[in-house]
Amino acid sequence: MAVADQFRVKSDFVLKETDANRKVLGAAVTAQPDAKSIDKLQTFNLAEKIADLQNVFVASKAPKLLIILQGMDTSGKDGTVKGVFGQINPLGARTVAFKAPSQAEKDHDYLWRIHQEVPSKGEIVIFNRSHYEDVLISKVHDWIDDSECVRRYAHIRDFERMLAETGTIILKFFLHISKAEQKRRLEERLADPDKHWKFDMQDLAERKYWDAYQRAYEAAICATDSETAPWYVIPSDSKTQRNLAIASIVLEKLESMKLKFPPANPDYAKIKVE
């Protein structure tokens, strides 16, 4: 079974706290001695293979790859960017971290700022949060009602279908962290002065809406999963398991594309460099 199939969201998808700590891949499954180090090394090797294939991806100048990372605060979006995509050439890749919209962005439709950041030919773009915020935080805080939320699901499906039909490969990852693990990570940041820069009081405010966010994620994921823009639910209590799963899925997708360098230019054989 392909790794992607093990994490693809199911039609009866329900978020469970216990699923956030599932061990599905690598040495951790059989509790081998030093499993964490073994799995970290495997992830590093996968990341290097991704970087190698990125060279061909950029050279081919045809496909476009959009990676979407969504998850609760501390679920590891930044850590995924570093651990899985840290080896790729930044000349052919971008990470976009969507924050609260500016006034100019608010004056347009909510997908306007998103569309400006999608990948061009031969480019890999990673969304650290995305257009899904507009059916998550907006719904949780009742900034939009149920009818508007359903309309936005339809907008998103149409938007992602349009991207797919015009050559963009889309992979969407929900980083599933448990409430207990989020508590531990927030406390770790508070206890270490060198990690205070990572702490945001807003994280505590949003934590109070934990259950509402779980339901909002379930609804959004079920409403927007498709064959051309699939959702993968990644257990993320373990940072090592999280990175190993995402790296495996991304590499599988790149390998399935049968990427090739463009044909050699025969005229170049006649050129002499003095």
Side-chain angles (χ1 to χ4, degrees):
M1 178 186 292
V3 175
D5 294 338
Q6 299 179 59
F7 296 97
R8 178 73 188 275
V9 68
K10 305 295 190 296
S11 58
D12 58 349
F13 169 60
V14 175
L15 281 172
K16 298 177 183 177
E17 287 280 295
T18 52
D19 287 343
N21 197 36
R22 285 194 308 140
K23 303 294 190 298
V24 183
L25 301 174
V29 175
T30 53
Q32 295 182 39
D34 206 18
K36 187 174 182 179
S37 296
I38 294 171
D39 290 344
K40 279 186 174 181
L41 178 59
Q42 184 180 351
T43 301
F44 179 80
N45 291 335
L46 293 173
E48 286 199 320
K49 290 180 180 178
I50 290 170
D52 289 341
L53 283 174
Q54 186 213 8
N55 290 329
V56 193
F57 190 92
V58 172
S60 65
K61 295 183 179 179
K64 299 167 271 188
L65 178 60
L66 176 60
I67 307 289
I68 294 175
L69 303 177
Q70 282 287 156
M72 297 293 288
D73 297 319
T74 77
S75 59
K77 295 176 288 294
D78 293 347
T80 299
V81 172
K82 180 180 179 181
V84 177
F85 302 102
Q87 308 298 316
I88 64 178
N89 188 336
L91 293 176
R94 287 185 293 121
T95 299
V96 183
F98 288 99
K99 306 295 184 183
S102 66
Q103 187 56 53
E105 290 168 341
K106 290 179 181 178
D107 290 342
H108 292 79
D109 68 90
Y110 70 96
L111 288 172
W112 178 75
R113 66 173 181 159
I114 308 298
H115 206 160
Q116 296 180 81
E117 301 291 356
V118 298
S120 58
K121 290 182 178 180
E123 187 178 35
I124 297 173
V125 172
I126 304 156
F127 281 0
N128 184 334
R129 299 189 188 275
S130 67
H131 43 295
Y132 282 93
E133 294 299 302
D134 291 288
V135 291
L136 293 167
I137 188 170
S138 297
K139 184 65 180 69
V140 166
H141 289 285
D142 294 323
W143 300 338
I144 58 175
D145 60 18
D146 289 343
S147 296
E148 176 61 19
C149 193
V150 170
R151 278 193 292 271
R152 292 190 180 190
Y153 293 152
H155 296 159
I156 289 171
R157 288 193 298 269
D158 289 343
F159 175 62
E160 292 179 345
R161 187 181 70 250
M162 182 272 294
L163 292 179
E165 289 176 352
T166 53
T168 301
I169 296 160
I170 304 170
L171 301 176
K172 302 182 294 191
F173 297 100
F174 172 63
L175 312 187
H176 182 23
I177 187 175
S178 66
K179 190 175 184 180
E181 178 62 16
Q182 188 196 60
K183 179 177 186 291
R184 189 193 69 77
R185 292 183 187 181
L186 289 171
E187 289 175 340
E188 184 181 66
R189 291 178 181 182
L190 287 169
D192 185 351
D194 290 341
K195 293 185 177 180
H196 283 182
W197 65 275
K198 289 185 174 184
F199 184 77
D200 188 337
M201 286 297 295
Q202 189 62 29
D203 293 349
L204 295 183
E206 295 302 318
R207 181 174 163 81
K208 296 176 182 178
Y209 297 91
W210 182 274
D211 291 341
Y213 271 110
Q214 302 304 291
R215 305 293 80 79
Y217 266 112
E218 287 172 354
I221 290 171
C222 288
T224 59
D225 177 66
S226 70
E227 288 304 312
T228 53
W231 272 108
Y232 301 98
V233 179
I234 308 297
S236 298
D237 275 9
S238 165
K239 299 174 184 178
T240 306
Q241 280 285 298
R242 177 198 71 212
N243 290 350
L244 180 56
I246 294 175
S248 298
I249 294 169
V250 172
L251 183 60
E252 279 185 350
K253 174 55 67 174
L254 290 173
E255 289 179 335
S256 73
M257 295 167 64
K258 308 297 182 184
L259 296 166
K260 294 181 180 180
F261 284 109
N265 188 332
D267 293 337
Y268 286 2
K270 306 169 187 176
I271 296 176
K272 291 184 178 181
V273 179
E274 301 295 341

